[in-house]
């Protein structure tokens, strides 16, 4: 059956089974932050970044300490949120625009494998979360980063009534201060802060739709590179770094790239606080409008904080790695759910969950009918909020690519406390007990060979069943060329990164000329 007809059948099922239509007073606000690390919040005993508004939201929510994005990079994770499916099933396994197969050679990294192909837009046959809520009487709104396809596959093509700034690009083309260079975001004031503008647009939508149930999806471009902040906030975080004591060395060498080990980047610190200011703006507005008691709020990120590649912005320690990596720092996220109408809400839980669970959870919490054939890999987390438990289940990640940050082509399965990583370059396995070793320092696969083999079998049974694609060996691979490249990274690149790290902490540091917000009034 053609995908178009499948979607029509599923949409009809939504209409026919929507007898549990959401009451008018149950609204949904979904806040998605880009590249925001698990430990980039002050409520996790972070002494550098300041996130008072996010901290307050965490206090009012159920905090999922084992909350995961469905990928180590953005587009796949976002597609999982929208579809309720793991990445290997929906087919977007890398960030849209990443080179595949022979095109990867142009990166001149001389790797052993050629990354597999992937789907380059959100498949139209899916009923997205927005479409499901729309069929249940919701007005739908999107603001910010989309990165799930170009024209024809933008938010307005997947169930959102309004789209502000959602385009195919994965980073803010004009940076974080106007002019934004975004065809779907009109410039108002030169130097206007992008994060606050997106929050303003979201507040405007909520005020105009407060009489009817709404679904507002605020998808910050922050804290993705190019990282920028105001001069005042740069100065504030430079002083914090200085007072905390500036480490002589900030990096260690990873498998392919250096990995940042310290949180002392004043530009990133300012960018994080700019984003937190915007979160506070919208949360305060919801309370002022009188909707805080009947608005479900979800807060999460699409992948780990950036420790390599991009802008080498932060550190996720004690978690290993970051964005693009197969380790916990690449996929473990801030993950909160605030459902004001759930009595005796659990304040925190260690149950492993993923972004794919948010689709059925939101439907369940607003009393809309679940679509089990759509969110097939996700489970409603409503029982957890009520103090109940979920059955143990396998969580699957599939990334047959290299990416920009230094991670390795691999697939992952987590079940309970156990995490298995399978590497495609050399077909090896790594097994970690995350309850005892959250930093993934000790591979225990050889000590638990029966468990390792069983988890590997379960992983590949799933991947085979959903038609997963795999990387291929590059027939042009040259060991000597790769080693020459890696030696250059471990010497020249590492040295230059250390110089740059200290440079932006100097009192006379000046940003690029196009950094509009560096000398403007605080937004």
């Amino acid at each position: 059956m053609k995908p178009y007809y499948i979607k029509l059948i599923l949409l009809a099922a939504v209409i026919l089974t929507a007898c549990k239509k959401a009451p008018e007073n149950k609204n949904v606000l979904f806040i998605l932050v880009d590249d925001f690390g698990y430990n980039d919040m002050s409520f996790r005993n972070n002494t550098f970044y300041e996130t008072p508004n996010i901290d307050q939201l965490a206090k009012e929510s159920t905090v999922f300490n084992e909350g995961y994005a469905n990928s180590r990079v953005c587009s796949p994770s976002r597609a999982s949120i929208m579809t309720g499916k793991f990445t290997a099933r929906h087919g977007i396994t890398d960030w849209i625009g990443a080179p595949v197969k022979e095109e990867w050679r142009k990166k001149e990294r001389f790797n052993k494998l050629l990354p597999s192909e992937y789907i380059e837009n959100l498949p139209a046959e899916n009923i997205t979360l927005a479409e499901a809520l729309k069929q249940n009487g919701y007005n739908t709104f999107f603001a910010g980063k989309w990165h799930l396809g170009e024209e024809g596959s933008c938010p307005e093509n997947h169930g959102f009534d309004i789209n502000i700034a959602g385009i195919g690009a994965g980073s803010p083309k004009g940076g974080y201060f106007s002019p934004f260079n975004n065809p779907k975001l009109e410039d108002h004031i030169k130097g206007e802060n992008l994060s606050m503008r997106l929050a303003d647009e979201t507040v405007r939508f909520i005020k105009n739709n407060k009489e009817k149930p709404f679904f507002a999806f605020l998808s910050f471009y922050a804290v993705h590179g190019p990282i920028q902040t105001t001069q005042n906030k740069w100065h504030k975080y430079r002083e914090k770094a200085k007072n905390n004591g500036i480490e002589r060395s900030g990096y260690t060498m990873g498998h392919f790239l250096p990995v940042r080990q310290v949180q002392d980047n004043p530009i990133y610190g300012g960018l994080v606080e700019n984003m937190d200011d915007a979160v506070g703006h919208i949360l305060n507005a919801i309370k002022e409008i009188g909707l805080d008691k009947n608005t479900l709020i979800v807060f999460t990120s699409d992948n780990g904080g950036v420790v390599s590649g991009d802008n080498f912005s932060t550190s996720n320690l004690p978690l290993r790695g970051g964005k693009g990596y197969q380790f916990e720092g690449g996929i473990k996220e801030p993950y909160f759910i605030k459902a004001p109408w759930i009595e005796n809400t659990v304040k925190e839980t260690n149950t492993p969950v993923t972004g794919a669970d948010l689709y059925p959870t939101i439907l369940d919490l607003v009393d809309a009918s679940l679509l089990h054939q759509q969110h097939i890999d996700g489970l409603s987390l409503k029982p957890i909020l009520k103090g109940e438990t979920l059955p143990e289940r396998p969580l699957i990640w599939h990334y047959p690519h290299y990416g920009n940050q230094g991670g390795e082509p691999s697939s992952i399965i987590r079940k309970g406390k156990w995490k298995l990583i399978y590497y495609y370059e050399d077909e090896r396995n790594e097994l970690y007990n995350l309850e005892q070793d959250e930093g993934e320092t000790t591979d225990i696969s050889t000590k638990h060979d029966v468990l390792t083999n069983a988890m590997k079998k379960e992983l590949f049974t799933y991947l085979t069943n959903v038609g997963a694609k795999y990387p291929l060996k590059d027939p042009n691979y040259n060991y000597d060329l790769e080693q020459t490249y890696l030696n250059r990274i471990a010497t020249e690149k590492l040295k230059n990164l250390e110089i740059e790290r200290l440079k932006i902490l100097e009192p006379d540091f000046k940003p690029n000329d196009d950094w509009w917000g560096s000398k403007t009034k605080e937004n």
Side-chain angles (χ1 to χ4, degrees):
M1 187 177 293
K2 293 183 178 180
Y4 173 77
Y5 295 111
I6 294 173
K7 183 169 184 174
L8 286 179
I9 293 171
L10 289 171
L11 281 171
V14 176
I15 297 170
L16 292 173
T17 62
C19 56
K20 292 176 67 178
K21 204 169 189 178
E24 288 185 355
N25 63 340
K26 287 190 177 180
N27 307 305
V28 182
L29 170 64
F30 196 120
I31 302 176
L32 181 64
V33 187
D34 194 15
D35 292 357
F36 194 46
Y38 184 80
N39 290 314
D40 281 353
M41 302 164 289
S42 46
F43 95 93
R44 290 203 183 278
N45 298 317
N46 184 296
T47 60
F48 188 60
Y49 308 127
E50 296 182 19
T51 55
N53 297 297
I54 295 171
D55 297 353
Q56 183 59 38
L57 177 60
K59 290 179 182 178
E60 299 170 357
S61 304
T62 297
V63 176
F64 290 78
N65 293 320
E66 300 296 316
Y68 288 94
N70 286 102
S71 178
R72 61 185 84 172
V73 294
C74 55
S75 298
S77 293
R78 292 165 183 269
S80 291
I81 289 170
M82 289 294 169
T83 66
K85 298 176 179 178
F86 293 159
T87 60
R89 189 186 298 274
H90 62 60
I92 302 176
T93 53
D94 205 356
W95 60 273
I96 294 175
V100 300
K101 301 177 74 173
E102 288 80 5
E103 286 294 308
W104 178 252
R105 291 179 185 147
K106 295 180 180 179
K107 290 281 188 177
E108 295 187 339
R109 285 177 45 178
F110 312 105
N111 299 121
K112 294 180 181 179
L113 304 177
L114 297 175
S116 76
E117 295 178 313
Y118 58 89
I119 293 176
E120 298 190 14
N121 55 67
L122 189 61
E125 60 266 27
N126 289 279
I127 297 178
T128 66
L129 175 58
E131 289 171 328
L133 288 170
K134 190 176 176 69
Q135 290 296 327
N136 278 274
Y138 279 74
N139 288 342
T140 57
F141 169 88
F142 184 91
K145 175 174 173 174
W146 177 244
H147 206 186
L148 286 173
E150 301 287 347
E151 287 298 321
S153 187
C154 284
E156 59 269 33
N157 306 116
H158 292 283
F160 289 99
D161 299 319
I162 299 172
N163 170 25
I164 304 293
I167 58 177
S171 60
K173 288 187 174 182
Y176 287 99
F177 300 95
S178 179
F180 300 123
N181 191 24
N182 187 313
K184 297 189 178 183
L185 182 63
E186 181 180 351
D187 291 302
H188 290 167
I189 304 170
K190 184 177 181 180
E192 182 181 21
N193 179 271
L194 176 58
S195 297
M196 190 61 74
R197 171 66 180 281
L198 295 176
D200 278 335
E201 295 285 354
T202 306
V203 169
R204 184 176 297 110
F205 166 78
I206 291 173
K207 287 181 176 179
N208 292 337
N209 292 271
K210 61 184 179 181
E211 303 301 328
K212 189 177 180 181
F214 63 77
F215 172 44
F217 198 110
L218 174 55
S219 177
F220 287 111
Y221 280 94
V223 288
H224 193 287
I227 59 173
Q228 299 170 340
T229 191
T230 61
Q231 187 176 39
N232 286 347
K233 279 190 165 58
W234 165 80
H235 177 75
K236 171 183 176 177
Y237 284 94
R238 177 191 173 272
E239 290 300 305
K240 288 197 72 172
K242 180 180 176 182
N243 292 335
N244 287 344
I246 299 173
E247 299 286 344
R248 293 184 61 184
S249 175
Y251 294 89
T252 188
M253 189 61 198
H255 186 76
F256 289 123
L257 283 172
V259 177
R260 192 179 184 99
Q261 300 291 287
V262 295
Q263 293 181 338
D264 64 1
N265 187 324
I267 303 173
Y268 184 73
L271 177 59
V272 167
E273 188 176 341
N274 283 135
M275 179 272 295
D276 183 78
D277 291 341
V279 170
H281 175 58
I282 190 170
L283 296 180
N284 290 336
I286 287 175
K287 290 180 181 178
E288 291 171 2
I289 298 168
L291 297 176
D292 54 310
K293 301 301 182 184
N294 59 336
T295 299
L296 169 67
I297 301 177
V298 174
F299 181 94
T300 192
S301 175
D302 61 350
N303 51 248
V306 180
V307 300
S308 296
D310 300 350
N311 286 91
F312 294 83
S313 304
T314 190
S315 168
N316 297 309
L317 292 175
L319 302 183
R320 184 177 177 183
K323 178 182 179 180
Y325 283 82
Q326 61 274 15
F327 304 114
E328 293 291 276
I331 55 177
K332 200 171 186 180
E333 305 305 324
Y335 195 119
F336 319 145
I337 299 176
K338 178 184 178 182
W341 51 85
I342 299 292
E343 296 182 5
N344 302 318
T345 302
V346 172
K347 300 310 297 178
E348 65 177 335
T349 174
N350 293 324
T351 302
V353 299
T354 78
D357 296 322
L358 294 170
Y359 189 138
T361 300
I362 290 171
L363 293 184
D364 204 6
L365 287 172
V366 301
D367 303 319
S369 299
L370 298 184
L371 302 176
H372 298 286
Q373 289 183 315
Q374 172 58 51
H375 47 74
I376 191 167
D377 293 312
L379 287 180
S380 171
L381 306 180
K382 183 177 179 179
I384 293 179
L385 272 63
K386 297 172 65 177
E388 302 169 10
T389 59
L390 291 180
E392 185 176 272
R393 58 187 169 135
L395 305 179
I396 308 289
W397 292 263
H398 182 57
Y399 192 73
H401 314 282
Y402 284 100
N404 297 330
Q405 296 81 25
E408 299 169 68
S410 52
S411 293
I412 303 166
I413 179 170
R414 174 169 181 176
K415 199 166 184 180
K417 64 185 179 181
W418 302 104
K419 176 181 176 181
L420 177 98
I421 307 174
Y422 175 83
Y423 293 86
Y424 290 101
E425 277 198 346
D426 54 9
E427 302 181 349
R428 78 182 189 279
N429 301 298
E430 289 178 353
L431 181 69
Y432 299 100
N433 180 339
L434 295 179
E435 286 185 358
Q436 299 177 359
D437 183 18
E438 69 170 346
E440 297 165 286
T441 61
T442 306
D443 169 26
I444 54 176
S445 59
T446 56
K447 294 182 180 180
H448 300 274
D449 57 329
V450 174
L451 176 62
T452 296
N453 291 331
M455 291 185 70
K456 178 183 174 182
K457 181 178 179 180
E458 188 169 12
L459 169 63
F460 278 93
T461 296
Y462 175 89
L463 294 177
T464 299
N465 288 341
V466 300
K469 296 180 179 179
Y470 304 101
L472 300 174
K473 292 183 179 180
D474 187 349
N476 294 349
Y477 172 68
N478 184 299
Y479 174 83
D480 292 334
L481 287 177
E482 183 183 38
Q483 291 306 305
T484 299
Y485 166 80
L486 292 175
N487 288 336
R488 186 171 71 250
I489 294 297
T491 53
E492 297 176 17
K493 181 70 174 179
L494 186 59
K495 178 182 178 181
N496 290 336
L497 282 171
E498 294 286 10
I499 293 172
E500 180 64 23
R501 170 179 160 265
L502 297 177
K503 178 181 176 182
I504 63 175
L505 289 163
E506 292 293 332
D508 60 349
F509 168 73
K510 293 182 179 180
N512 295 332
D513 293 338
D514 61 352
W515 186 354
W516 291 105
S518 63
K519 296 182 180 179
T520 62
K521 182 179 178 181
E522 288 288 324
N523 294 286

